[in-house]
């Protein structure tokens, strides 16, 4: 999702840049996918107006780029896929259909 793990202001700035470019460059938008791995961290961070709204902003960015462009990853072995899935479900206000789409998305290429 444009960062190092977790979702902070720098990561949101990176996602904002992608959103801006995607509005004018459909070719690029068609080729770029985002990995949700290690973005949702259940541990609490120092309270601030940003930390209190970080996952609201993340959901906004997910919707801006489109859930069809987000692929699920757990950052295993740090978190099991089921543990991370539970964190995503608990922390992000995604609809069941949005969550299902992200979980079952596959990148359109094979290795």
């Amino acid at each position: 999702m444009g960062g190092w793990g977790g979702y902070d202001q720098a990561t949101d700035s990176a996602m904002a840049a992608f959103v801006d470019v995607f509005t004018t460059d459909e070719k690029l938008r068609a080729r770029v996918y985002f990995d949700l791995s290690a973005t949702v961290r259940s541990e609490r961070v120092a309270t601030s107006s940003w930390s209190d709204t970080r996952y609201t902003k993340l959901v906004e960015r997910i919707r801006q780029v489109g859930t069809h462009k987000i692929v699920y990853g757990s950052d295993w072995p740090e978190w099991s896929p089921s543990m991370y899935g539970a964190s995503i479900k608990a922390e992000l206000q995604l609809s069941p259909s949005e969550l299902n789409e992200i979980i079952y998305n596959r990148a359109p290429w094979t290795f």
Side-chain angles (χ1 to χ4, degrees):
M1 296 300 295
W4 53 271
Y7 199 77
D8 58 14
Q9 289 173 300
T11 306
D12 187 64
S13 293
M15 287 305 299
F18 277 107
V19 168
D20 288 345
V21 170
F22 284 177
T23 62
T24 58
D25 192 338
E26 275 299 314
K27 276 180 103 170
L28 180 65
R29 183 183 187 113
R31 296 186 350 233
V32 174
Y33 288 79
F34 299 92
D35 178 355
L36 198 55
S37 177
T39 305
V40 177
R41 307 291 299 254
S42 291
E43 71 272 2
R44 298 290 169 218
V45 294
T47 302
S48 71
S49 61
W50 171 256
S51 66
D52 292 343
T53 61
R54 64 190 167 146
Y55 293 141
T56 301
K57 189 54 121 172
L58 173 57
V59 168
E60 180 183 333
R61 297 295 185 207
I62 287 170
R63 290 177 176 149
Q64 287 173 322
V65 299
T67 54
H68 65 288
K69 304 299 282 181
I70 311 295
V71 295
Y72 175 81
S74 69
D75 207 31
W76 186 85
E78 188 169 342
W79 298 285
S80 72
S82 62
M83 282 175 44
Y84 191 59
S87 291
I88 290 170
K89 188 174 182 180
E91 298 288 349
L92 301 184
Q93 297 300 310
L94 294 167
S95 71
S97 63
E98 290 171 319
L99 187 57
N100 266 355
E101 183 170 19
I102 290 169
I103 289 170
Y104 292 103
N105 277 342
R106 299 293 178 263
W109 58 86
T110 59
F111 295 95

